[in-house]
Every structure is written in structure tokens, then in C-alpha cells.
Amino acid sequence: MSQERTTLIAGNWKMNGGLDEVDGLAGDLAGRMTGLTAAPGFEMAVCPPFPLLPMVASAIEESGIALGAQDCHGNEKGAHTGDVSAKLLAQVGCAYVIVGHSERRTDHGETDEQVRAKAEAAQAAGMAAIVCVGETEAERDAGRATEVVVGQVVGSVPEGATAENLVVAYEPVWAIGTGKTATPQDAQDMHAAIRASLADRFGGDTAAGIRILYGGSMKPGNAAELLALADVDGGLIGGASLVADDFWAIGQAAG
Ligand code: PGA
């Protein structure tokens, strides 16, 4: 966590949540946010499934909570059945789009090149792309974690990155939904390597402003330790983002 970067606590609902969660989760969080007597020391975002986006947008209106989507297409529009354009996501109120999540890289065979196109589309529509990277357990065991992750950053992050249009999420695949988390030292080392790679391309000043989130079994019990690391600027939270008390507690741990 650094003075110059506002900690971002983003909830990735994945393929969870239905109509009940519009008020029960998003509305609940909005109530807690608007009930604060002082400005929160962090930014909160929720990323529900596509059909819920407009309803969640209403539920969090004027709460300061940002809306995000979980994917977009790399093209502006066209014959892409089942896909959603970045422009439409911006129209319904999204400020963020998660791209390149490891579940999409695995389930849908997304490549760095496709992820980069999606990130570019999100940025062109005026949103920030949350570009996800992370190594598998086998890659870590083989001593290749940094090489793999930095390679994904180079391949998936478009040119022209700024602190406003890019967030990177480091999510070790073996830590997602498993209850395992990276050690603080491993997380800090990887975040520093990611920032160094961004600095190589975009310059030190720009890299110093780009937020790098940690994701993978972040929960109230481990959030404070992870969020205190110098180059960890927030969390991308799956399971714990579905429970208002837990997600809120992670926000509190951020400051
Ligand atoms: P998790 O998921 O918090 O359930 O591990 C994180 C993510 O995949 O974004």
C-alpha cells in the first residue's frame, strides 16, 4: 500500500449471485458506505454477472462504490453471439472491466493477445481494465513463476497504460478459491517484479501510479497483512466478496 495509490478492493462475483444479491449484497454494501462518517481510505468496486449490472448500478448509486464487469469483447461491435461490448458496459455504468482472469484463460482458451485486445477495448470505452495474471502451481514449482507472470504482463497489457486506465491483478492460479495464499514475501516480490516490468515500458512515474491488486483466497483474516505490503495496492476478491460482512471487513483492513 502506498500513499500515492488509492487501495482498490474489488469483488469478483464470478458466476454467482442472482436477483437477491442486488439489494442483499450490493445494496447492503452501499448502505455501509454511505453510513461512514469519514471518507473511506479505500475504493470499493463490485463486479457482478452481466445481467445484474444495471440493477447493481442503481443499488450502489451515489454510494461511491464503483461498478465493474467480468469480461468484454476485444472488438467494438459486431457478429459475436453471446459477447458484450465494452461500450455497452460503459453505458450501463461500469468503471472497470476484469480481463484475462485465469478462469477465462482456462475455460475459454484466452491468449495474451486476446486479453490485450479486450483491455484496449475497455480503455477505449473510457473504463479501466483490470488485467489478471498469475502462474500455475506447476510453473511455481518449476521456478518459473516470475518469468510466466512478467510474460503475461508484457503480452496482455496494451500500450499507453496510465494510472487511470490500468489495474493489474496478480492472482496465483493455485491460490484462487483454494484457501491457499501466497506468502507475504512471495506476493511482495511478484508485485515488485510486475511494477518493474511496467516501469520498463511506461516509465517509473507511470508505473508508480498503477495499482497492482493481489487475488487468491484473500479474506478478513489475511487481508491486513497482504494489503500492508509496499507494492500490494488492493485485492481482487472472489469467495469473500459474496458475503457482505467479509467483504466489508477486507475494506476495513485496507484503511
Ligand atoms: P477467490 O477468487 O478470492 O475466491 O480465491 C479470487 C479471484 O479469482 O478473483
Side-chain angles (χ1 to χ4, degrees):
M1 198 171 345
S2 110
Q3 300 294 355
E4 58 191 316
R5 299 184 291 267
T6 303
T7 302
L8 174 61
I9 302 298
N12 174 12
W13 292 12
K14 309 192 180 185
M15 200 172 74
N16 299 297
L19 295 177
D20 288 348
E21 277 64 38
V22 172
D23 286 334
L25 183 51
D28 180 321
L29 293 167
R32 296 180 197 224
M33 206 65 150
T34 47
L36 290 175
T37 48
F42 63 96
E43 181 185 0
M44 179 173 274
V46 289
C47 307
F50 288 136
L52 297 184
L53 286 169
M55 286 174 271
V56 169
S58 299
I60 60 177
E61 205 173 357
E62 293 184 9
S63 68
I65 300 175
L67 186 66
Q70 299 175 19
D71 183 41
C72 68
H73 198 276
N75 289 6
E76 211 181 312
K77 61 176 182 176
H80 302 289
T81 303
D83 282 310
V84 178
S85 74
K87 186 176 171 192
L88 178 56
L89 296 174
Q91 279 179 353
V92 300
C94 290
Y96 294 99
V97 186
I98 300 169
V99 294
H101 191 282
S102 62
E103 286 150 14
R104 292 208 60 88
R105 290 178 188 261
T106 302
D107 294 355
H108 301 271
E110 289 186 10
T111 62
D112 283 342
E113 199 177 23
Q114 286 168 321
V115 174
R116 180 191 280 236
K118 288 169 183 240
E120 272 171 6
Q123 292 170 340
M127 298 175 289
I130 302 178
V131 176
C132 300
V133 294
E135 82 285 358
T136 63
E137 192 150 37
E139 288 163 343
R140 175 158 287 271
D141 289 347
R144 297 184 50 233
T146 308
E147 171 200 334
V148 167
V149 168
V150 169
Q152 288 176 339
V153 171
V154 170
S156 305
V157 170
E159 297 305 325
T162 67
E164 287 72 41
N165 72 13
L166 178 72
V167 176
V168 176
Y170 168 56
E171 301 202 301
V173 177
W174 48 268
I176 295 176
T178 59
K180 298 185 202 169
T181 42
T183 65
Q185 189 63 55
D186 285 347
Q188 170 55 30
D189 288 351
M190 190 63 83
H191 281 234
I194 292 169
R195 198 175 306 284
S197 159
L198 295 171
D200 280 348
R201 261 173 92 190
F202 306 115
D205 286 354
T206 297
I210 293 173
R211 291 175 292 181
I212 306 175
L213 314 183
Y214 172 81
S217 299
M218 190 183 274
K219 39 188 182 286
N222 61 25
E225 189 178 33
L226 289 160
L227 294 171
L229 298 168
D231 285 291
V232 174
D233 310 310
L236 183 57
I237 297 119
S241 76
L242 298 169
V243 179
D245 282 346
D246 288 352
F247 194 50
W248 187 251
I250 293 172
Q252 297 304 298

